[in-house]
Amino acid sequence: MVKLTIDGREFQAEEGKTILDVAQGNNIYIPTLCYHESVAPYGACRLCMVEITNKRGKKKLVTSCLYPVEEGLDVKTDTPRVVSVRRMVMEFLLARCPDSEVLRKLGDKLGVEKVRFSQEEDKNKCILCGLCARACDEVVGASAISLVNRGVDRQMATPFFDASATCIACGSCAFVCPTGAIKCEDIGDTRKLTMPNITQEFRLAKCKACGAYWAPERQVDFFVKKSGLTREEYELCPDCR
Amino acid sequence: MNTSEPKLDNEQIKTMINAILDKYRREEGMLVSVLHEIQGEYHYLPRPALEEVSRGLKIPLTRVYSVATFFKVFSLKPRGRHLIQVCLGTACHVRGGARVRDTIERDLAIKSGETTPDFTFSLESVNCVGACALGPIVLVDGQYNGQMTIEKVDSVLKKYA
Ligand code: FES
Ligand code: FES
């Protein structure tokens, strides 16, 4: 256990926890976009910046989602420096994705009045935080998408920008995406997954009893493979089971 | 279209890739070295090769593709048999590197980043290759040609064409 203070309040925390873990566990607000509790932190969005003073009295800005707690750490989540740097980050994100409703709301909340940078034309809402790809890899285990290329060409995409052979159409990527860049909708017997670089359609499996389309065929295949059960075990939707 | 684009035989690729993977003991950590070797073989990274690497190393294709597209040395487009790299680093730039590049572009009728239709040359620009005193530098297949001038372009390219 280590002792640290956040905004003047004292906390005890287990070693290995991050500043963000402690703050969230104690209702201290730190804005985040690329963080999700089920996925390893990555530090891509830079929105969760806080100011720390370490034992030697040195002040610096760190990403709270990655910074592990230390004995005697003094964390401030609300200093003028933190506020201004967050606004700056927010402005960059908004310049990149002016169409994202979520980002605009967050911008308002953080006090961004106007974006001083020229705004991106193509209406893509992806901030390249890679949360979708990390969830797909770490949680689902499908690894269907990733960040590709480098620098200004960086994009979220499937390999070769082609239909993915490993995607099971579970929609986890759309679920975790913090900006609404990925859409997942079911239309009749088809699931449509719309990503910045590709739109894919998948067949849905029909429940034998009630006839409802309940999961993508590929996801059912995936269940079968994972669980070692037979395909017959998955003929019914969860409601009819 | 390009008639002399290198024809690839999937079986041949498979054998080749697996030999390379064996050489690196199929270690995931050797991915970059493996890709280097493949590029040495084909001058670029053919898609079936990357797919075979993913299978052979038991890592997702997404990871292979991310790494392959991250590094500038790797090309996913077919490249020529000879790679011309014109240095446009600060020193070479002030000594007229850009003019040398323009000349090569005109002579080969391609732009930087492109490949000649007969797949003899690919052209690209790089930023400082560590021989500033000899600038402007033009590398062909890693061979340094120092103090390049527009007049020398022709004779340098002749050696390879
Ligand atoms: S939440 Fe920490 S950098 Fe995105
Ligand atoms: S600038 Fe060309 S070698 Fe350094």
Side-chain angles (χ1 to χ4, degrees), chain A residues 32-35 43-48 63 65:
Chain A
T32 62
L33 283 170
C34 72
Y35 174 81
C45 74
R46 316 311 282 179
L47 209 59
C48 67
T63 43
C65 67

Side-chain angles (χ1 to χ4, degrees), chain A residues 9 16 22-23 45 53 57-58 92 96 99 104 114 125 145 167 171 190 196 202 210 217 228 234:
Chain A
R9 287 162 64 191
V22 181
C45 74
T53 315
K58 254 193 107 184
F92 284 136
R96 183 182 172 86
D99 288 337
R104 278 209 301 265
K114 68 168 204 287
K125 294 180 191 165
I145 42 176
C167 175
T190 314
F202 302 89
C210 70
E217 294 275 5
Y234 289 99

Side-chain angles (χ1 to χ4, degrees), chain A residues 96-112:
Chain A
R96 183 182 172 86
C97 311
D99 288 337
S100 171
E101 196 54 33
V102 189
L103 288 186
R104 278 209 301 265
K105 278 212 188 100
L106 193 53
D108 290 344
K109 184 166 174 183
L110 299 180
V112 177

